[in-house]
């Protein structure tokens, strides 16, 4: 940067840069529901694109498989999200946080920083989000028959650590298959230390490609 403000920590990492907004947590909460789980944001998210949502499903019971994720609101006014369980009458529950490559005024005291266009790029009340793991090398694991259709599933060996969440956004799109396309779902298999992805359809390609997923945690 040729001018502005920059903060570098003891390990030479840039913590704050007026030209490069960091990934910030804007709001957080819990979600729960039977068949459909809905979460209302504590405040509207003002980004133009849908914000990044990271979830940490509860560990009780079997693997939760949320599918058909959609956001409430619209550009400049995102107010929540909902997701449907791939098995009817299944329970979805857990914690979430919402992040964006921008900041929003949250703190009643501290430090705020604006760029040359008067856009807020830093607020000391918006904790940084730290990406802890990223992958896309899914391994095909098999298929199971549902009451309607089939559920094909893939996994990546990754144990969800303490305080880690999984990105939900890459799983809002359908999976490829040999038919007309199938819903894409996400699961955390705590017992076997795996992150799972599913395609709900009547058939599927064994190679799902490299749909990425991220794990992240909050830096207090």
């Amino acid at each position: 940067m040729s001018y502005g403000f920059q903060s570098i920590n003891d390990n030479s990492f840039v913590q704050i840069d007026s030209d490069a907004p960091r990934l910030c947590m804007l709001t957080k909460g819990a979600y729960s529901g039977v068949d459909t789980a809905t979460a209302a944001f504590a405040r509207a998210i003002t980004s133009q694109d849908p914000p990044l949502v990271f979830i940490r499903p509860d560990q009780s019971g079997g693997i939760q498989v949320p599918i058909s994720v959609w956001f409430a609101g619209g550009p400049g006014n995102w107010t929540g999200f909902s997701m449907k369980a791939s098995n009817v009458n299944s329970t979805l529950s857990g914690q979430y946080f919402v992040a964006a490559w921008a900041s929003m005024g949250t703190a009643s005291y501290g430090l705020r920083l604006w760029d040359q266009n008067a856009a807020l790029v830093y607020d000391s009340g918006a904790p940084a989000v730290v990406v802890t793991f990223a992958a896309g090398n899914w391994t095909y694991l098999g298929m199971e028959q549902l009451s309607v259709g089939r559920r094909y599933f893939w996994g990546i060996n990754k144990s969800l650590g303490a305080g880690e969440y999984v990105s939900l956004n890459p799983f809002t799109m359908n999976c490829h298959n040999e038919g007309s396309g199938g819903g894409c779902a996400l699961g955390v298999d705590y017992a076997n230390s795996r992150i799972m992805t599913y395609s709900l359809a009547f058939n599927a390609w064994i190679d799902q490609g490299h749909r990425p997923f991220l794990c992240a945690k909050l830096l207090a």
Side-chain angles (χ1 to χ4, degrees):
M1 61 187 299
S2 57
Y3 63 89
F5 177 82
Q6 190 177 74
S7 172
I8 301 174
N9 68 10
D10 294 341
N11 296 316
S12 298
F13 291 122
V14 176
Q15 299 291 90
I16 308 171
D17 191 316
S18 57
D19 290 340
R22 64 180 185 173
L23 185 61
C24 297
M25 190 277 289
L26 302 181
T27 189
K28 61 181 179 179
Y31 63 88
S32 64
V34 176
D35 184 40
T36 300
T38 299
F41 299 154
R43 58 182 182 146
I45 306 302
T46 57
S47 60
Q48 289 300 300
D49 296 324
L52 299 176
V53 174
F54 292 81
I55 65 171
R56 184 179 178 89
D58 291 337
Q59 296 188 40
S60 58
I63 303 174
Q64 297 184 24
V65 184
I67 194 170
S68 299
V69 180
W70 65 96
F71 293 92
N77 185 43
W78 304 103
T79 58
F81 71 97
S82 298
M83 50 190 177
K84 196 172 185 65
S86 66
N87 271 347
V88 177
N89 296 326
S90 290
T91 298
L92 299 175
S93 63
Q95 305 294 314
Y96 75 89
F97 70 81
V98 181
W101 294 99
S103 190
M104 292 173 61
T106 60
S108 56
Y109 60 89
L111 173 69
R112 284 181 183 168
L113 181 67
W114 290 263
D115 66 12
Q116 68 272 20
N117 298 315
L120 185 66
V121 296
Y122 177 83
D123 185 292
S124 54
V129 175
V130 179
V131 174
T132 56
F133 187 83
N137 53 323
W138 300 100
T139 299
Y140 180 69
L141 299 175
M143 178 272 291
E144 57 185 333
Q145 184 69 47
L146 301 178
S147 57
V148 178
R150 298 171 179 172
R151 189 159 68 183
Y152 299 82
F153 51 99
W154 295 256
I156 291 178
N157 292 329
K158 162 60 182 168
S159 177
L160 200 61
E164 278 190 308
Y165 290 65
V166 181
S167 59
L168 185 62
N169 295 61
F171 302 89
T172 61
M173 301 176 289
N174 280 358
C175 287
H176 295 296
N177 65 52
E178 295 173 350
S180 59
C184 186
L186 167 70
V188 178
D189 184 354
Y190 290 103
N192 295 298
S193 300
R194 295 183 301 201
I195 306 297
M196 309 288 289
T197 187
Y198 302 79
S199 176
L200 275 67
F202 291 97
N203 47 34
W205 290 334
I206 292 178
D207 181 6
Q208 276 294 312
H210 302 283
R211 181 183 299 266
F213 85 91
L214 300 175
C215 289
K217 62 182 180 179
L218 299 176
L219 179 63

